[in-house]
Amino acid sequence: MTQASDGRLVWNHSTHLPGLIPILEKLLNQPGIGTVTPGVIANVRAHSPALRVKVSVPIRGGFKLIARKGKTVQEVFVLTELDKAGLEAAVAKAIEAA
């Protein structure tokens, strides 16, 4: 059995997309995940009825995720040792478990 990571969730905003925090907490339980930092929230034109989390671009030490629900989008920064495919699998597992 793989050991859970010792990652942490940074609370630097007072608002988050509904349902995002439980997914991020489950993501922290995946091996190889370090710090998870929810970022800027913005409004967009397109509507996404269900919460979706997508791995976006690489950043120094990890990747940026894009979380969307309704007409709102939020950036999430993840410091990880995983590659893009590994992080996508970890995010899918976290969404499934949440």
Side-chain angles (χ1 to χ4, degrees):
M1 181 169 178
T2 57
Q3 187 174 0
S5 72
D6 58 349
R8 68 185 186 100
L9 180 60
V10 178
W11 291 84
N12 60 354
H13 289 281
S14 59
T15 57
H16 303 93
L17 285 181
L20 180 61
I21 295 302
I23 290 172
L24 297 182
E25 288 172 342
K26 298 286 185 195
L27 182 61
L28 286 172
N29 293 331
Q30 304 294 322
I33 303 295
T35 304
V36 176
T37 308
V40 176
I41 294 178
N43 291 321
V44 292
R45 287 186 185 196
H47 182 76
S48 176
L51 177 62
R52 294 186 340 201
V53 181
K54 181 178 102 173
V55 178
S56 181
V57 296
I59 59 171
R60 190 177 312 133
F63 289 90
K64 179 168 80 169
L65 307 181
I66 302 295
R68 297 193 55 187
K69 182 165 184 172
K71 292 185 177 259
T72 309
V73 64
Q74 183 166 14
E75 296 176 335
V76 179
F77 300 95
V78 179
L79 299 182
T80 180
E81 58 195 35
L82 300 174
D83 62 1
K84 186 173 183 176
L87 182 57
E88 287 171 342
V91 167
K93 196 180 285 187
I95 290 171
E96 199 176 281

